[in-house]
Amino acid sequence: MKLFLILTLISLPVFATIKVSELENINKISIIFVDSSHGLESSFGHIAIRLSTDNLIGSFGDYSVEFVADSSKTTNQFSYYARGSGLINPFPTSVLIKNFELFRFEKNLLENRKIEIVDLNLSPSQIKEFVQFIQDFQEDKINEKYYFITNNCS
């Protein structure tokens, strides 16, 4: 069973560059709480968003949205933690969207972290506004700096 799941997830396209505007039929939004892990940046856990859609394939048609530090240009550990703590020029915040099952696989099996999901009771208009906020953030209409402690994934 695990082998089947791994092969299925590996065959999924990576949605790190997907745009919120490309998603259709979002009917439910949930908050995903992820257990803590090793490293300063994961000491307090992680929070992400789950966008559920009207689809025939269950959670394989859902997406996770993460607000993360764009640390792609960091060259060493000192710079990584100094920027993340806000001591020097902080990281820009990036929005990552991927298939929810891929997100769950990464957190549960690769990082050995438990996740809890809490569904939000939102009206269709609130869901639309929430998705618009994510889209604006993704399109850099909202420019936030990322600090590990005060302005993070939450």
Side-chain angles (χ1 to χ4, degrees):
M1 178 66 176
K2 277 189 177 182
L3 180 59
F4 172 75
L5 180 61
I6 290 171
L7 292 174
T8 302
L9 291 171
I10 290 172
S11 68
L12 291 172
V14 177
F15 290 103
T17 58
I18 196 166
K19 300 290 184 196
V20 174
S21 58
E22 297 171 9
L23 303 179
E24 295 180 6
N25 303 320
I26 296 169
N27 64 357
K28 183 171 65 172
I29 296 177
S30 307
I31 301 293
I32 306 168
F33 297 95
V34 183
D35 272 355
S36 61
S37 184
H38 304 292
L40 177 64
E41 68 279 6
S42 300
S43 298
F44 303 106
H46 184 57
I47 294 178
I49 298 165
R50 178 178 178 177
L51 303 177
S52 299
T53 60
D54 289 324
N55 62 68
L56 300 175
I57 55 174
S59 61
F60 281 95
D62 293 353
Y63 299 92
S64 68
V65 179
E66 298 176 84
F67 294 89
V68 298
D70 181 0
S71 59
S72 60
K73 297 178 183 163
T74 304
T75 56
N76 61 58
Q77 276 310 92
F78 174 76
S79 172
Y80 178 77
Y81 287 111
R83 290 187 73 187
S85 65
L87 294 175
I88 60 176
N89 186 28
F91 293 115
T93 302
S94 291
V95 178
L96 297 179
I97 300 174
K98 62 181 85 165
N99 177 278
F100 172 72
E101 288 301 330
L102 181 59
F103 172 86
R104 186 190 329 235
F105 173 77
E106 289 173 355
K107 300 305 176 201
N108 286 160
L109 297 177
L110 298 181
E111 298 176 16
N112 197 27
R113 298 166 78 177
K114 294 178 186 175
I115 65 171
E116 293 289 330
I117 301 168
V118 177
D119 294 339
L120 300 177
N121 186 16
L122 301 176
S123 69
S125 64
Q126 289 172 317
I127 291 172
K128 185 177 178 180
E129 287 177 32
F130 198 95
V131 171
Q132 183 62 51
F133 170 80
I134 295 169
Q135 183 175 343
D136 290 347
F137 207 109
Q138 193 176 39
E139 294 173 355
D140 290 330
K141 293 178 184 174
I142 300 172
N143 188 4
E144 288 289 326
K145 298 298 181 189
Y146 194 98
Y147 303 96
F148 292 147
I149 298 175
T150 58
N151 197 22
N152 49 41
C153 59
S154 63

